[in-house]
Amino acid sequence: PPLGFWLQTLSTKLFGFTAFSVFLPQALCGVLAVLLLYALVRRHFGALAGVVAALALAVTPISVVTNRNNTIDATLALALLLAAWAVIHASETGRLRWLLLSAVFVGLGFNIKMAEALLVMPALAMAYLLCAPRKIWTRIWHLLLAGLVMVVLSLSWAVAVDLTPATQRP
């Protein structure tokens, strides 16, 4: 899927085609993911836990490697952390818009790195289902609607490519 590579393309348009411009989006997404993880953990478990979680993400060898090359794992990690942020708000407030925003981030994650983004869906859905201050049938309805949004957004690129005749594709 193109989304992760579009960020790299935008960076090369802005800064020219260099190693720096290709790697910059991943480095920025990695830094933003560490900051977001710190904020998410600190909010519920305190500053020390936030620092430990952020440090673990920042120095884990695989995270360091993927944030320094042109794979799109850091972009996916950021998208999924944003999905977790939104579902935490949805679970606390019971508001549908936060749950839909989480579904949008997972759908974008699918367009970054396909099915790998869907690995977090059971945990996000269970968090909302078990914690949201709504009646059970309302929570189920919200989850079904969010699932529909996620599927539509996830498949948007694949459908667009399939509907474009092969002779007209770049």
Side-chain angles (χ1 to χ4, degrees), residues 1 7 11 19 25-27 36-37 49 71 85 94 103 106-107 109 112 119 122 158:
L7 296 175
S11 179
Q26 296 313 303
L36 181 57
L37 183 60
T71 62
W85 167 75
V106 173
I112 293 169
L119 292 173

Side-chain angles (χ1 to χ4, degrees), residues 86 90 95-105 142 145-147 149:
R95 291 199 169 175
L96 177 61
R97 68 179 175 179
W98 287 109
L99 188 62
L100 294 178
L101 182 61
S102 179
V104 165
F105 284 128
H142 284 180
L145 191 57
V149 167

